Amino acid sequence: MVTRKNLAKRSKTPKAGLAVDGFYRVNIVDPDGRVRGDSGWKHNLITSGGLTAYISYLFGGSAGSSLVNRMMLGSLQSALATNASSLPGEYGKSLMATLASTQITTRAASNSGDTVRFLATFISNSIISTTAQTIACIGLYATTNQSSVFCGGSFASSTLGQSQAINCSYDVVFTASTS
């Protein structure tokens, strides 16, 4: 027998969700390969411009879309604003690192997510001229003339010596669900 209660249960619209999360890790490495500093894995923030240009426009095939292919470091340990177009204290667009590799892992089951991992290395002297520099934030960009950061975050500041390198890993995880 069909009752109002049963009809209401059957006519519920299914709910679907899509989530995008990012996580990054920054290591300072001495010339002998020893890790001198490690930020640990940190959660990021996707900027509103990043959501638009790197996800919505890309998905819709818009001419204004962007693809991540650069990573940048900044000097200030402060929260990235949702409407930010650059990192706090970023080191100029000409000092970005081109991504060393991009790896994609697709989900094996509906309860896991797809992961895109971006890897970059800043070789010693790439940021440093003659004095030590502070690093405290990281972000992903499209190109050296791109006006908007896709996502980023900060970590405990570290002083980078002239002979040290920086190895960075940045994961962007996409998950979908229905109920």
Side-chain angles (χ1 to χ4, degrees), residues 48-81:
S48 54
L51 178 65
T52 300
Y54 294 83
I55 297 176
S56 299
Y57 283 0
L58 186 62
F59 183 75
S62 172
S65 66
S66 297
L67 292 172
V68 171
N69 65 13
R70 305 261 198 246
M71 194 178 293
M72 180 181 279
L73 295 170
S75 62
L76 299 177
Q77 183 187 14
S78 70
L80 184 64

Side-chain angles (χ1 to χ4, degrees), residues 1-12:
M1 178 164 107
V2 176
T3 66
R4 283 187 183 195
K5 186 176 181 179
N6 288 341
L7 186 58
K9 281 183 181 178
R10 283 192 271 169
S11 63
K12 275 189 174 178

